[in-house]
Amino acid sequence: MDACAECGFDYDLARAAEVADRAVAYAADYAELLALDPSLLRRRADPGVWSPLEYACHVRDVLLVMRERVLAARRTDTPTATPMGRDERVDHDGYADQRPQDVARQLRDAALLLANALNRLGEADWERTLVFTYPAESLRSLRWIALHTEHELRHHLLDIRRQVTAR
């Protein structure tokens, strides 16, 4: 994946070191949206589309999972990223029932945790790799992992904004 046609995100690997600051900024954007009416945040626009709150919970978990992947790639040569179970988490963790203000705080904290891990990477660390298993198995550098995480933040923020502005 080099770019996302839907949200316009470009996987420019030269920008990987900037992801830490942008992740923290995106988390603030999510927190602002999570201050909206909880009934709006819990409502699915369509049964097959996550609600804004569910998207925010997913992004929080992505930040935490990606942080663990970065740390794993620093301590082990070419680990395999275990699938996060993105769809199962919606039910298993009760995304729709969580308190938006808690999710906002957790999302900001998760962004700070990821930012700390990324900010500690040296030049050689950015080239460390892991086997990324979604959507197809491929070898990915930590540069790509950082950018993919930013893409998740940007793309799902767009998903949420589309839902809350459509109502």
Side-chain angles (χ1 to χ4, degrees), residues 23 27-28 30-31 34 53 56-64 93-95 97-114 153:
Y30 277 90
L34 287 165
L53 179 58
C57 289
H58 167 69
V59 169
R60 173 206 55 210
D61 289 355
V62 164
L63 290 167
L64 294 171
D93 198 28
Y95 282 0
D97 299 323
Q98 294 186 27
R99 292 172 11 132
Q101 64 269 31
D102 291 343
V103 175
R105 183 189 70 254
Q106 294 160 359
L107 209 151
R108 285 190 306 265
D109 288 345
L112 288 169
L113 288 165
L114 174 68
L153 284 159

